[in-house]
Amino acid sequence: MPLTDVNVRNAKPRDKLFRLFDERGMYLEISTTGGKWWRLKYRFGGKEKRLSLGVYPDVGLKEARDRRDEARKLLANGIDPSIERKVQKAATIERAANSFEAVAREWFARQAPGWAASHSDKIMGRLEKDVFPWLGGRPIAEIKAPEVLAVLRRVEARGALDTAHRVHQNCGQVFRYAVATGRAERDISSDLRGALPPARHTHFASVTEPAEVASLLRALDGFQGTFVVQCALRLAPLLFVRPGELRTAEWAQFDLDKAQWRYTVSKTKTEHLVPLATQAVAMLRDLYALTGHRQYVFPGRDVKKPMSGAAINAALRRMGFDTKTEITGHGFRAMARTILHEQLRFPSEVIEHQLAHKVPDALGTAYNRTRFIDDRIVMMQRWADYLDELKSRDSVVSDQAGKN
């Protein structure tokens, strides 16, 4: 007699495992603890075999019979359902391992050691927020260009066009890695070139006119905040390093007797050498009396940590500067680059090396921390003297104007 739902539901455990048989080789196996498993008994290749069809009540009688019938169709076509199940399970595991998210995280793990932490955080943040929720679980080889475009459109719709372009770029990097590792045929994101409106790139606000620079320098000298922030503000134009590198500077990196600062560039992971003008050395020696026993040159409120990343721009705003249109902490680099070349006539390659930019030379060298070092020592001192001259000259002009 075929089983009924009532038979299955009311079956009670016994002292030994027992079975209730249905039709066409299917039966319900009841353990001594009350567990109930659907099984199919069949023969393949002359051997008797069994196939699990699920656990009751998760799999009811009707669904168990449907699974039985699917297995018997495979048998009719000469396929062992047990082997087929293993093949499908392996394929599922492979699909999961080759999902967009799995490939993206593998690509990220290989690339991230060469990136600055802030850069890594931004890339993974974009993927986790804007891509994985929609494409993360999809096998990367099956993703089509319109699916990626839909992801980009969502980012664009919230007004983040520049981020949409960066998401597009990151997706392309993941797809190309999938191609290189044999998990995709091609980078389908390349089909989306031109699909997004061009992003409007803005440069960091900066001051490059000498008279305006003089006013800015005098404002920095008159800053009424803490001595640590005051020193950071006054050193920023002298050193023109990236703001993050300035605020995280450590005393162990400095040799004030040799007038040198050596550190690893956050963006390129290369060692960089900053020659220190006499004015910079004097400021640092003054600051050393206050923070020299600490790790960081510019400690924050928690002295075990560096100054906040927002401290420089916040100080500039307190002095009345618009950090979006006038000057920002990063703008001191543009100031130095422009004036050193246009006003002081230093060669571009010397300036670019001091900015720690990658400048390929005839020998193919991307960056050499000691290249043009003699020229850079002269340049850094001339730059510091020029800034002092600007302040002094502008002050004299202002005094004369006041008398007239």
Side-chain angles (χ1 to χ4, degrees):
M1 295 283 295
L3 292 175
T4 65
D5 288 323
V6 175
N7 296 147
V8 175
R9 185 170 59 251
N10 292 338
K12 303 299 180 183
R14 301 177 184 174
D15 294 338
K16 295 182 180 180
L17 180 146
F18 71 101
R19 298 164 181 167
L20 296 178
F21 287 88
D22 193 54
E23 300 176 308
R24 307 177 71 190
M26 190 178 88
Y27 61 89
L28 182 70
E29 188 174 86
I30 300 97
S31 72
T32 56
T33 58
K36 300 175 182 180
W37 286 269
W38 297 110
R39 311 278 191 197
L40 174 66
K41 183 171 68 173
Y42 67 97
R43 296 188 69 84
F44 189 86
K47 295 181 180 181
E48 184 177 289
K49 306 182 77 172
R50 284 174 172 74
L51 180 72
S52 172
L53 300 177
V55 179
Y56 182 86
D58 296 336
V59 176
L61 176 59
K62 181 180 183 306
E63 185 177 351
R65 286 172 174 166
D66 290 341
R67 293 184 180 187
R68 174 201 62 193
D69 294 343
E70 290 173 3
R72 292 185 66 85
K73 287 179 182 178
L74 291 173
L75 286 168
N77 290 312
I79 300 172
D80 185 341
S82 293
I83 300 299
E84 177 65 14
R85 176 172 293 179
K86 291 177 182 178
V87 170
Q88 293 299 326
K89 183 178 180 180
T92 299
I93 294 173
E94 182 179 0
R95 284 164 62 90
N98 294 334
S99 69
F100 183 91
E101 181 172 351
V103 176
R105 290 191 181 278
E106 183 181 317
W107 163 78
F108 180 83
R110 290 181 175 272
Q111 299 297 323
W115 294 333
S118 58
H119 183 61
S120 298
D121 292 343
K122 288 177 183 177
I123 289 179
M124 185 49 67
R126 284 193 291 267
L127 291 172
E128 290 180 340
K129 178 182 179 182
D130 296 318
V131 185
F132 291 167
W134 292 275
L135 299 180
R138 298 269 288 120
I140 195 165
E142 297 179 11
I143 296 175
K144 306 300 182 185
E147 296 177 77
V148 179
L149 181 59
V151 165
L152 302 181
R153 292 288 190 221
R154 288 188 187 94
V155 181
E156 180 190 5
R158 67 170 191 260
L161 181 58
D162 186 63
T163 300
H165 279 280
R166 293 180 186 277
V167 169
H168 184 196
Q169 177 186 18
N170 296 149
C171 286
Q173 291 168 316
V174 173
F175 279 113
R176 288 190 291 276
Y177 178 75
V179 172
T181 55
R183 287 174 285 187
E185 291 295 324
R186 55 185 294 270
D187 170 19
I188 54 92
S189 73
S190 62
D191 297 340
L192 301 178
R193 289 174 185 159
L196 293 173
R200 294 180 179 180
H201 296 288
T202 58
H203 298 287
F204 291 105
S206 182
V207 175
T208 57
E209 290 298 324
E212 294 178 359
V213 172
S215 297
L216 169 63
L217 295 174
R218 291 206 318 277
L220 298 182
D221 287 347
F223 177 67
Q224 298 298 310
T226 67
F227 185 63
V228 169
V229 176
Q230 183 185 75
C231 289
L233 282 170
R234 295 174 64 193
L235 283 165
L238 279 177
L239 306 179
F240 52 88
V241 296
R242 294 177 178 86
E245 293 160 351
L246 180 67
R247 74 178 185 85
T248 59
E250 301 180 19
W251 282 116
Q253 301 166 342
F254 286 83
D255 188 331
L256 297 183
D257 292 331
K258 292 183 179 180
Q260 294 180 346
W261 174 23
R262 297 171 182 265
Y263 67 91
T264 300
V265 178
S266 58
K267 193 171 185 178
T268 61
K269 301 299 183 183
T270 54
E271 187 179 346
H272 185 46
L273 174 60
V274 179
L276 302 174
T278 55
Q279 294 91 326
V281 172
M283 289 185 202
L284 287 165
R285 288 193 187 280
D286 203 17
L287 182 59
Y288 187 84
L290 178 64
T291 68
H293 60 294
R294 304 288 186 189
Q295 175 184 359
Y296 295 105
V297 178
F298 308 103
R301 291 183 179 179
D302 180 349
V303 295
K304 294 181 180 179
K305 297 180 180 180
M307 183 173 63
S308 164
I312 294 293
N313 281 350
L316 289 170
R317 286 191 292 270
R318 281 179 57 188
M319 288 184 283
F321 292 101
D322 188 330
T323 53
K324 291 184 178 180
T325 61
E326 292 182 292
I327 185 65
T328 181
H330 207 285
F332 292 116
R333 291 169 63 78
M335 174 198 295
R337 182 192 299 114
T338 301
I339 297 178
L340 281 168
H341 184 61
E342 295 182 359
Q343 300 292 330
L344 302 184
R345 304 299 182 184
F346 281 94
S348 296
E349 58 268 27
V350 176
I351 301 170
E352 291 301 308
H353 269 77
Q354 191 52 56
L355 289 165
H357 287 167
K358 289 185 177 181
V359 186
D361 59 20
L363 299 177
T365 304
Y367 173 74
N368 183 339
R369 65 178 174 80
T370 60
R371 186 147 174 84
F372 303 117
I373 189 61
D374 292 336
D375 295 325
R376 286 157 54 194
I377 291 172
V378 172
M379 182 180 73
M380 295 300 280
Q381 186 60 57
R382 179 69 187 97
W383 172 243
D385 293 341
Y386 176 79
L387 296 182
D388 283 347
E389 291 167 11
L390 276 184
K391 287 189 291 184
S392 175
R393 183 173 62 200
D394 189 75
S395 178
V396 170
V397 172
S398 298
D399 290 344
Q400 290 177 345
K403 292 177 181 179
N404 294 333

PDB file of all heavy atoms in Angstrom, residues 13-39:
ATOM      1  N   PRO A  13       8.914   6.295  16.628  1.00  0.00           N
ATOM      2  CA  PRO A  13      10.164   5.526  16.705  1.00  0.00           C
ATOM      3  C   PRO A  13       9.978   4.225  17.472  1.00  0.00           C
ATOM      4  O   PRO A  13       9.107   4.105  18.329  1.00  0.00           O
ATOM      5  CB  PRO A  13      11.115   6.479  17.443  1.00  0.00           C
ATOM      6  CG  PRO A  13      10.229   7.396  18.221  1.00  0.00           C
ATOM      7  CD  PRO A  13       8.987   7.576  17.387  1.00  0.00           C
ATOM      8  N   ARG A  14      10.819   3.244  17.169  1.00  0.00           N
ATOM      9  CA  ARG A  14      10.794   1.942  17.835  1.00  0.00           C
ATOM     10  C   ARG A  14      12.173   1.657  18.434  1.00  0.00           C
ATOM     11  O   ARG A  14      13.082   2.477  18.347  1.00  0.00           O
ATOM     12  CB  ARG A  14      10.410   0.843  16.840  1.00  0.00           C
ATOM     13  CG  ARG A  14       9.043   1.062  16.191  1.00  0.00           C
ATOM     14  CD  ARG A  14       8.746  -0.024  15.162  1.00  0.00           C
ATOM     15  NE  ARG A  14       7.485   0.227  14.469  1.00  0.00           N
ATOM     16  CZ  ARG A  14       7.042  -0.492  13.445  1.00  0.00           C
ATOM     17  NH1 ARG A  14       7.783  -1.544  13.007  1.00  0.00           N
ATOM     18  NH2 ARG A  14       5.896  -0.205  12.862  1.00  0.00           N
ATOM     19  N   ASP A  15      12.304   0.468  18.991  1.00  0.00           N
ATOM     20  CA  ASP A  15      13.589   0.107  19.598  1.00  0.00           C
ATOM     21  C   ASP A  15      14.696  -0.011  18.557  1.00  0.00           C
ATOM     22  O   ASP A  15      15.870   0.177  18.866  1.00  0.00           O
ATOM     23  CB  ASP A  15      13.455  -1.226  20.353  1.00  0.00           C
ATOM     24  CG  ASP A  15      12.531  -1.093  21.557  1.00  0.00           C
ATOM     25  OD1 ASP A  15      12.355   0.052  22.027  1.00  0.00           O
ATOM     26  OD2 ASP A  15      12.001  -2.128  21.997  1.00  0.00           O
ATOM     27  N   LYS A  16      14.308  -0.320  17.314  1.00  0.00           N
ATOM     28  CA  LYS A  16      15.266  -0.439  16.232  1.00  0.00           C
ATOM     29  C   LYS A  16      14.804   0.418  15.053  1.00  0.00           C
ATOM     30  O   LYS A  16      13.618   0.707  14.899  1.00  0.00           O
ATOM     31  CB  LYS A  16      15.400  -1.898  15.776  1.00  0.00           C
ATOM     32  CG  LYS A  16      15.981  -2.825  16.825  1.00  0.00           C
ATOM     33  CD  LYS A  16      16.120  -4.235  16.261  1.00  0.00           C
ATOM     34  CE  LYS A  16      16.705  -5.184  17.300  1.00  0.00           C
ATOM     35  NZ  LYS A  16      16.849  -6.571  16.748  1.00  0.00           N
ATOM     36  N   LEU A  17      15.765   0.796  14.221  1.00  0.00           N
ATOM     37  CA  LEU A  17      15.443   1.529  13.011  1.00  0.00           C
ATOM     38  C   LEU A  17      14.505   0.685  12.152  1.00  0.00           C
ATOM     39  O   LEU A  17      14.703  -0.531  12.010  1.00  0.00           O
ATOM     40  CB  LEU A  17      16.743   1.840  12.247  1.00  0.00           C
ATOM     41  CG  LEU A  17      16.631   2.619  10.939  1.00  0.00           C
ATOM     42  CD1 LEU A  17      17.849   3.525  10.763  1.00  0.00           C
ATOM     43  CD2 LEU A  17      16.538   1.661   9.748  1.00  0.00           C
ATOM     44  N   PHE A  18      13.466   1.301  11.566  1.00  0.00           N
ATOM     45  CA  PHE A  18      12.568   0.548  10.696  1.00  0.00           C
ATOM     46  C   PHE A  18      12.151   1.408   9.508  1.00  0.00           C
ATOM     47  O   PHE A  18      12.421   2.620   9.473  1.00  0.00           O
ATOM     48  CB  PHE A  18      11.330   0.044  11.470  1.00  0.00           C
ATOM     49  CG  PHE A  18      10.356   1.126  11.846  1.00  0.00           C
ATOM     50  CD1 PHE A  18       9.186   1.318  11.096  1.00  0.00           C
ATOM     51  CD2 PHE A  18      10.594   1.959  12.932  1.00  0.00           C
ATOM     52  CE1 PHE A  18       8.274   2.293  11.455  1.00  0.00           C
ATOM     53  CE2 PHE A  18       9.676   2.943  13.285  1.00  0.00           C
ATOM     54  CZ  PHE A  18       8.517   3.118  12.547  1.00  0.00           C
ATOM     55  N   ARG A  19      11.474   0.777   8.539  1.00  0.00           N
ATOM     56  CA  ARG A  19      11.132   1.449   7.285  1.00  0.00           C
ATOM     57  C   ARG A  19       9.656   1.274   6.962  1.00  0.00           C
ATOM     58  O   ARG A  19       9.089   0.202   7.193  1.00  0.00           O
ATOM     59  CB  ARG A  19      11.980   0.899   6.133  1.00  0.00           C
ATOM     60  CG  ARG A  19      13.478   1.139   6.330  1.00  0.00           C
ATOM     61  CD  ARG A  19      14.294   0.275   5.407  1.00  0.00           C
ATOM     62  NE  ARG A  19      15.721   0.485   5.603  1.00  0.00           N
ATOM     63  CZ  ARG A  19      16.664  -0.300   5.110  1.00  0.00           C
ATOM     64  NH1 ARG A  19      16.318  -1.391   4.416  1.00  0.00           N
ATOM     65  NH2 ARG A  19      17.936  -0.037   5.319  1.00  0.00           N
ATOM     66  N   LEU A  20       9.095   2.356   6.384  1.00  0.00           N
ATOM     67  CA  LEU A  20       7.739   2.304   5.834  1.00  0.00           C
ATOM     68  C   LEU A  20       7.864   2.485   4.328  1.00  0.00           C
ATOM     69  O   LEU A  20       8.365   3.514   3.863  1.00  0.00           O
ATOM     70  CB  LEU A  20       6.879   3.421   6.425  1.00  0.00           C
ATOM     71  CG  LEU A  20       6.610   3.354   7.936  1.00  0.00           C
ATOM     72  CD1 LEU A  20       5.784   4.572   8.373  1.00  0.00           C
ATOM     73  CD2 LEU A  20       5.882   2.060   8.310  1.00  0.00           C
ATOM     74  N   PHE A  21       7.433   1.483   3.552  1.00  0.00           N
ATOM     75  CA  PHE A  21       7.666   1.512   2.109  1.00  0.00           C
ATOM     76  C   PHE A  21       6.534   2.169   1.356  1.00  0.00           C
ATOM     77  O   PHE A  21       5.355   2.000   1.659  1.00  0.00           O
ATOM     78  CB  PHE A  21       7.878   0.075   1.594  1.00  0.00           C
ATOM     79  CG  PHE A  21       9.211  -0.486   1.997  1.00  0.00           C
ATOM     80  CD1 PHE A  21       9.358  -1.152   3.206  1.00  0.00           C
ATOM     81  CD2 PHE A  21      10.323  -0.319   1.182  1.00  0.00           C
ATOM     82  CE1 PHE A  21      10.583  -1.666   3.590  1.00  0.00           C
ATOM     83  CE2 PHE A  21      11.550  -0.835   1.569  1.00  0.00           C
ATOM     84  CZ  PHE A  21      11.696  -1.503   2.775  1.00  0.00           C
ATOM     85  N   ASP A  22       6.924   2.941   0.347  1.00  0.00           N
ATOM     86  CA  ASP A  22       5.983   3.566  -0.573  1.00  0.00           C
ATOM     87  C   ASP A  22       6.062   2.794  -1.893  1.00  0.00           C
ATOM     88  O   ASP A  22       6.332   1.583  -1.869  1.00  0.00           O
ATOM     89  CB  ASP A  22       6.338   5.045  -0.751  1.00  0.00           C
ATOM     90  CG  ASP A  22       5.250   5.835  -1.442  1.00  0.00           C
ATOM     91  OD1 ASP A  22       4.105   5.796  -0.969  1.00  0.00           O
ATOM     92  OD2 ASP A  22       5.551   6.509  -2.449  1.00  0.00           O
ATOM     93  N   GLU A  23       5.895   3.454  -3.004  1.00  0.00           N
ATOM     94  CA  GLU A  23       5.934   2.813  -4.303  1.00  0.00           C
ATOM     95  C   GLU A  23       7.267   3.044  -5.004  1.00  0.00           C
ATOM     96  O   GLU A  23       7.986   3.988  -4.718  1.00  0.00           O
ATOM     97  CB  GLU A  23       4.811   3.352  -5.204  1.00  0.00           C
ATOM     98  CG  GLU A  23       3.408   3.111  -4.646  1.00  0.00           C
ATOM     99  CD  GLU A  23       2.350   3.753  -5.516  1.00  0.00           C
ATOM    100  OE1 GLU A  23       2.486   4.973  -5.797  1.00  0.00           O
ATOM    101  OE2 GLU A  23       1.409   3.054  -5.901  1.00  0.00           O
ATOM    102  N   ARG A  24       7.616   2.174  -5.943  1.00  0.00           N
ATOM    103  CA  ARG A  24       8.724   2.335  -6.886  1.00  0.00           C
ATOM    104  C   ARG A  24      10.063   2.573  -6.190  1.00  0.00           C
ATOM    105  O   ARG A  24      10.837   3.413  -6.552  1.00  0.00           O
ATOM    106  CB  ARG A  24       8.413   3.460  -7.858  1.00  0.00           C
ATOM    107  CG  ARG A  24       7.065   3.290  -8.558  1.00  0.00           C
ATOM    108  CD  ARG A  24       6.752   4.456  -9.452  1.00  0.00           C
ATOM    109  NE  ARG A  24       7.608   4.474 -10.638  1.00  0.00           N
ATOM    110  CZ  ARG A  24       7.669   5.502 -11.500  1.00  0.00           C
ATOM    111  NH1 ARG A  24       6.946   6.593 -11.273  1.00  0.00           N
ATOM    112  NH2 ARG A  24       8.465   5.428 -12.552  1.00  0.00           N
ATOM    113  N   GLY A  25      10.274   1.814  -5.132  1.00  0.00           N
ATOM    114  CA  GLY A  25      11.567   1.823  -4.465  1.00  0.00           C
ATOM    115  C   GLY A  25      11.742   2.875  -3.388  1.00  0.00           C
ATOM    116  O   GLY A  25      12.785   2.928  -2.727  1.00  0.00           O
ATOM    117  N   MET A  26      10.747   3.753  -3.179  1.00  0.00           N
ATOM    118  CA  MET A  26      10.891   4.798  -2.163  1.00  0.00           C
ATOM    119  C   MET A  26      10.363   4.318  -0.818  1.00  0.00           C
ATOM    120  O   MET A  26       9.376   3.581  -0.756  1.00  0.00           O
ATOM    121  CB  MET A  26      10.131   6.054  -2.582  1.00  0.00           C
ATOM    122  CG  MET A  26      10.423   7.262  -1.691  1.00  0.00           C
ATOM    123  SD  MET A  26       9.545   8.753  -2.232  1.00  0.00           S
ATOM    124  CE  MET A  26       8.000   8.576  -1.346  1.00  0.00           C
ATOM    125  N   TYR A  27      11.034   4.709   0.250  1.00  0.00           N
ATOM    126  CA  TYR A  27      10.566   4.355   1.588  1.00  0.00           C
ATOM    127  C   TYR A  27      10.965   5.451   2.576  1.00  0.00           C
ATOM    128  O   TYR A  27      11.813   6.303   2.290  1.00  0.00           O
ATOM    129  CB  TYR A  27      11.122   2.990   2.022  1.00  0.00           C
ATOM    130  CG  TYR A  27      12.635   2.907   2.093  1.00  0.00           C
ATOM    131  CD1 TYR A  27      13.323   3.247   3.272  1.00  0.00           C
ATOM    132  CD2 TYR A  27      13.384   2.464   0.996  1.00  0.00           C
ATOM    133  CE1 TYR A  27      14.706   3.151   3.350  1.00  0.00           C
ATOM    134  CE2 TYR A  27      14.763   2.372   1.065  1.00  0.00           C
ATOM    135  CZ  TYR A  27      15.421   2.714   2.245  1.00  0.00           C
ATOM    136  OH  TYR A  27      16.785   2.625   2.322  1.00  0.00           O
ATOM    137  N   LEU A  28      10.333   5.413   3.745  1.00  0.00           N
ATOM    138  CA  LEU A  28      10.632   6.343   4.837  1.00  0.00           C
ATOM    139  C   LEU A  28      11.361   5.562   5.916  1.00  0.00           C
ATOM    140  O   LEU A  28      10.864   4.536   6.396  1.00  0.00           O
ATOM    141  CB  LEU A  28       9.347   6.948   5.403  1.00  0.00           C
ATOM    142  CG  LEU A  28       9.532   7.979   6.529  1.00  0.00           C
ATOM    143  CD1 LEU A  28      10.150   9.260   5.984  1.00  0.00           C
ATOM    144  CD2 LEU A  28       8.191   8.281   7.210  1.00  0.00           C
ATOM    145  N   GLU A  29      12.532   6.062   6.311  1.00  0.00           N
ATOM    146  CA  GLU A  29      13.333   5.389   7.326  1.00  0.00           C
ATOM    147  C   GLU A  29      13.207   6.151   8.632  1.00  0.00           C
ATOM    148  O   GLU A  29      13.454   7.361   8.669  1.00  0.00           O
ATOM    149  CB  GLU A  29      14.801   5.348   6.864  1.00  0.00           C
ATOM    150  CG  GLU A  29      15.712   4.515   7.727  1.00  0.00           C
ATOM    151  CD  GLU A  29      17.093   4.424   7.099  1.00  0.00           C
ATOM    152  OE1 GLU A  29      17.914   5.337   7.350  1.00  0.00           O
ATOM    153  OE2 GLU A  29      17.334   3.455   6.331  1.00  0.00           O
ATOM    154  N   ILE A  30      12.801   5.484   9.717  1.00  0.00           N
ATOM    155  CA  ILE A  30      12.584   6.132  11.012  1.00  0.00           C
ATOM    156  C   ILE A  30      13.624   5.602  11.993  1.00  0.00           C
ATOM    157  O   ILE A  30      13.731   4.386  12.212  1.00  0.00           O
ATOM    158  CB  ILE A  30      11.164   5.856  11.563  1.00  0.00           C
ATOM    159  CG1 ILE A  30      10.096   6.385  10.590  1.00  0.00           C
ATOM    160  CG2 ILE A  30      10.989   6.529  12.917  1.00  0.00           C
ATOM    161  CD1 ILE A  30       9.549   5.359   9.674  1.00  0.00           C
ATOM    162  N   SER A  31      14.383   6.541  12.576  1.00  0.00           N
ATOM    163  CA  SER A  31      15.444   6.154  13.517  1.00  0.00           C
ATOM    164  C   SER A  31      14.858   5.967  14.912  1.00  0.00           C
ATOM    165  O   SER A  31      13.709   6.334  15.191  1.00  0.00           O
ATOM    166  CB  SER A  31      16.544   7.215  13.552  1.00  0.00           C
ATOM    167  OG  SER A  31      16.085   8.387  14.221  1.00  0.00           O
ATOM    168  N   THR A  32      15.659   5.436  15.810  1.00  0.00           N
ATOM    169  CA  THR A  32      15.211   5.206  17.189  1.00  0.00           C
ATOM    170  C   THR A  32      14.978   6.530  17.931  1.00  0.00           C
ATOM    171  O   THR A  32      14.297   6.550  18.955  1.00  0.00           O
ATOM    172  CB  THR A  32      16.257   4.390  17.960  1.00  0.00           C
ATOM    173  OG1 THR A  32      17.518   5.068  17.900  1.00  0.00           O
ATOM    174  CG2 THR A  32      16.394   2.994  17.358  1.00  0.00           C
ATOM    175  N   THR A  33      15.541   7.618  17.435  1.00  0.00           N
ATOM    176  CA  THR A  33      15.345   8.930  18.081  1.00  0.00           C
ATOM    177  C   THR A  33      14.205   9.720  17.448  1.00  0.00           C
ATOM    178  O   THR A  33      13.906  10.838  17.874  1.00  0.00           O
ATOM    179  CB  THR A  33      16.633   9.768  17.980  1.00  0.00           C
ATOM    180  OG1 THR A  33      16.998   9.929  16.607  1.00  0.00           O
ATOM    181  CG2 THR A  33      17.767   9.084  18.732  1.00  0.00           C
ATOM    182  N   GLY A  34      13.552   9.158  16.416  1.00  0.00           N
ATOM    183  CA  GLY A  34      12.402   9.805  15.802  1.00  0.00           C
ATOM    184  C   GLY A  34      12.691  10.519  14.503  1.00  0.00           C
ATOM    185  O   GLY A  34      11.775  11.058  13.873  1.00  0.00           O
ATOM    186  N   GLY A  35      13.960  10.576  14.058  1.00  0.00           N
ATOM    187  CA  GLY A  35      14.283  11.204  12.788  1.00  0.00           C
ATOM    188  C   GLY A  35      13.717  10.418  11.620  1.00  0.00           C
ATOM    189  O   GLY A  35      13.677   9.178  11.654  1.00  0.00           O
ATOM    190  N   LYS A  36      13.270  11.120  10.570  1.00  0.00           N
ATOM    191  CA  LYS A  36      12.623  10.467   9.429  1.00  0.00           C
ATOM    192  C   LYS A  36      13.317  10.916   8.138  1.00  0.00           C
ATOM    193  O   LYS A  36      13.365  12.102   7.836  1.00  0.00           O
ATOM    194  CB  LYS A  36      11.140  10.816   9.378  1.00  0.00           C
ATOM    195  CG  LYS A  36      10.373  10.392  10.636  1.00  0.00           C
ATOM    196  CD  LYS A  36       8.924  10.854  10.598  1.00  0.00           C
ATOM    197  CE  LYS A  36       8.188  10.450  11.886  1.00  0.00           C
ATOM    198  NZ  LYS A  36       6.776  10.896  11.877  1.00  0.00           N
ATOM    199  N   TRP A  37      13.840   9.929   7.361  1.00  0.00           N
ATOM    200  CA  TRP A  37      14.543  10.232   6.117  1.00  0.00           C
ATOM    201  C   TRP A  37      13.871   9.512   4.956  1.00  0.00           C
ATOM    202  O   TRP A  37      13.537   8.317   5.053  1.00  0.00           O
ATOM    203  CB  TRP A  37      15.995   9.741   6.195  1.00  0.00           C
ATOM    204  CG  TRP A  37      16.880  10.588   7.070  1.00  0.00           C
ATOM    205  CD1 TRP A  37      17.637  11.645   6.700  1.00  0.00           C
ATOM    206  CD2 TRP A  37      17.085  10.412   8.468  1.00  0.00           C
ATOM    207  NE1 TRP A  37      18.305  12.165   7.773  1.00  0.00           N
ATOM    208  CE2 TRP A  37      17.999  11.429   8.884  1.00  0.00           C
ATOM    209  CE3 TRP A  37      16.604   9.509   9.440  1.00  0.00           C
ATOM    210  CZ2 TRP A  37      18.432  11.566  10.205  1.00  0.00           C
ATOM    211  CZ3 TRP A  37      17.026   9.643  10.746  1.00  0.00           C
ATOM    212  CH2 TRP A  37      17.929  10.664  11.120  1.00  0.00           C
ATOM    213  N   TRP A  38      13.691  10.222   3.857  1.00  0.00           N
ATOM    214  CA  TRP A  38      13.204   9.623   2.625  1.00  0.00           C
ATOM    215  C   TRP A  38      14.389   8.993   1.888  1.00  0.00           C
ATOM    216  O   TRP A  38      15.448   9.591   1.758  1.00  0.00           O
ATOM    217  CB  TRP A  38      12.556  10.666   1.711  1.00  0.00           C
ATOM    218  CG  TRP A  38      11.331  11.322   2.273  1.00  0.00           C
ATOM    219  CD1 TRP A  38      11.197  12.597   2.693  1.00  0.00           C
ATOM    220  CD2 TRP A  38      10.057  10.711   2.433  1.00  0.00           C
ATOM    221  NE1 TRP A  38       9.926  12.852   3.131  1.00  0.00           N
ATOM    222  CE2 TRP A  38       9.193  11.700   2.980  1.00  0.00           C
ATOM    223  CE3 TRP A  38       9.537   9.426   2.195  1.00  0.00           C
ATOM    224  CZ2 TRP A  38       7.855  11.451   3.270  1.00  0.00           C
ATOM    225  CZ3 TRP A  38       8.196   9.171   2.480  1.00  0.00           C
ATOM    226  CH2 TRP A  38       7.380  10.180   3.021  1.00  0.00           C
ATOM    227  N   ARG A  39      14.214   7.764   1.428  1.00  0.00           N
ATOM    228  CA  ARG A  39      15.261   7.067   0.688  1.00  0.00           C
ATOM    229  C   ARG A  39      14.668   6.452  -0.590  1.00  0.00           C
ATOM    230  O   ARG A  39      13.472   6.169  -0.671  1.00  0.00           O
ATOM    231  CB  ARG A  39      15.858   5.924   1.508  1.00  0.00           C
ATOM    232  CG  ARG A  39      16.271   6.274   2.914  1.00  0.00           C
ATOM    233  CD  ARG A  39      17.618   6.926   2.975  1.00  0.00           C
ATOM    234  NE  ARG A  39      18.113   7.019   4.345  1.00  0.00           N
ATOM    235  CZ  ARG A  39      19.092   7.820   4.728  1.00  0.00           C
ATOM    236  NH1 ARG A  39      19.692   8.597   3.833  1.00  0.00           N
ATOM    237  NH2 ARG A  39      19.484   7.846   5.981  1.00  0.00           N
TER     238      ARG A  39
END
